[in-house]
Amino acid sequence: MTAPPLTLYLAAPRGFCAGVDRAIKIVEMALEKWGAPVYVRHEIVHNKFVVDGLRGKGAVFVEDLDDAPSDRPVIFSAHGVPRSVPAEARAREMVYVDATCPLVSKVHIEAERHSQNGRQMVMIGHAGHPETLGTMGQLPPGEVLLVETPDDVAKLEVRDPERLAFITQTTLSVDDTAEIVAALRARFPAIVGPHKEDICYATTNRQEAVKAMAPAIDAMLVVGAPNSSNSRRLVEVGRRAGCPYAQLVQRADDIDWRALDGISTVGITAGASAPEVLIDEVVDAFRARFAVTVEKVVTAEEHVEFKVPRVLREPA
């Protein structure tokens, strides 16, 4: 039988961002420097394939610092941690390496600066997400108020409407965040925003690539993990931009082929913590079923690199 024709549109940029690449490198370099085991508080990035690979090399993932022994190095994940976590590590005289993405650290610094200037913070983010917990944990309880929707803005009870500032999680939907910011500015005209947008370049670029290809495709697959905020946002952005069907898949085995019956065009992208090998795996799965033509949808080029912490660049 002749395989049916299919055009695959590959979004660019897609997959790993500089912060994820740096975080993974930090774990690998820590294992080289100190040997196994090296402990990591929370998944270093939200991708099972990546985490399992590092676990195979000797990384041990824990959710609480209490679960890591004091005599082994510990790494804090790319999402950032509350200020109390490194304080506890210092109190226990632990060797620790902070793999927080520098663009998340920038938001932490903004929050602290606004607090020092007497402003109460409003954070736009997802409740319970480790980045949100880490950012809110930079200031004392009550100093950061969380909103997830424009409706939440209407319910806010603030200390002084004239002394407010807002920050955002770095992996949000650009369009959803703009709506919430508009609601904040409408209710609190004096509120101060960041000098530069908190949503990171990688999140923005991946969403723009999805918007560019969504109207031209029958379906879209986003390679990423269910607990990856930026991956889930890509699915939402694709649907809103006109793609009739969008699915989040961790691996090629997760593809719902019945839902793709009769299609002729598919877009593929990946969240910022998904490695290229998993995208290749998905492409190969399509090649096994279709006569595939690949087209690239390029909307930006990324050349960002972040240095690893100095402690890993020094000899043991």
Side-chain angles (χ1 to χ4, degrees), residues 19-36:
V20 164
D21 195 52
R22 172 181 179 267
I24 295 168
K25 197 177 294 181
I26 284 172
V27 179
E28 292 173 337
M29 291 177 70
L31 286 164
E32 287 177 18
K33 180 168 183 172
W34 292 301

Side-chain angles (χ1 to χ4, degrees), residues 53-284:
L54 293 172
R55 187 179 283 118
K57 296 177 181 179
V60 178
F61 293 88
V62 297
E63 285 302 315
D64 197 291
L65 208 57
D66 289 341
D67 298 323
S70 298
D71 61 349
R72 294 305 301 166
V74 65
I75 298 168
F76 305 146
S77 81
H79 312 96
V81 294
R83 188 176 290 246
S84 59
V85 174
E88 181 186 345
R90 287 191 294 270
R92 291 176 58 190
E93 299 184 344
M94 301 176 79
V95 172
Y96 69 88
V97 185
D98 190 352
T100 301
C101 174
L103 299 180
V104 174
S105 296
K106 177 183 79 71
V107 180
H108 292 181
I109 293 167
E110 283 176 26
E112 187 175 5
R113 175 173 54 83
H114 284 307
S115 181
Q116 288 172 348
N117 289 330
R119 293 188 178 95
Q120 191 177 23
M121 302 301 306
V122 177
M123 178 166 190
I124 304 170
H126 295 297
H129 190 278
E131 183 185 331
T132 299
L133 296 173
T135 301
M136 294 181 70
Q138 300 304 305
L139 298 177
E143 290 303 305
V144 186
L145 307 174
L146 180 66
V147 294
E148 298 185 84
T149 67
D151 289 343
D152 291 341
V153 174
K155 302 170 191 170
L156 273 180
E157 296 182 10
V158 303
R159 187 167 55 233
D160 181 352
E162 300 299 313
R163 304 292 293 169
L164 287 176
F166 73 87
I167 50 177
T168 82
Q169 190 177 320
T170 62
T171 54
L172 301 177
S173 159
V174 173
D175 295 335
D176 286 350
T177 303
E179 290 180 16
I180 299 170
V181 169
L184 282 170
R185 293 195 187 282
R187 186 173 175 205
F188 306 109
I191 197 167
V192 176
H195 290 304
K196 189 179 178 187
E197 187 177 56
D198 287 339
I199 296 175
C200 78
Y201 78 93
T203 297
T204 301
N205 287 349
R206 281 148 190 73
Q207 289 180 19
E208 287 301 316
V210 163
K211 289 178 184 177
M213 71 180 181
I217 55 180
D218 299 324
M220 183 179 74
L221 298 184
V222 177
V223 181
N227 59 342
S228 166
S229 174
N230 75 87
S231 299
R232 291 171 63 187
R233 302 293 82 75
L234 290 174
V235 174
E236 296 168 359
V237 169
R239 289 171 180 160
R240 290 180 185 176
C243 181
Y245 175 83
Q247 181 192 3
L248 180 68
V249 297
Q250 296 197 71
R251 303 288 298 265
D253 288 346
D254 299 326
I255 299 172
D256 184 353
W257 296 107
R258 290 174 300 178
L260 303 179
D261 189 41
I263 59 164
S264 59
T265 54
V266 175
I268 296 177
T269 187
S273 49
E276 190 69 14
V277 64
L278 298 187
I279 301 155
D280 292 341
E281 181 183 277
V282 168
V283 172
D284 288 343

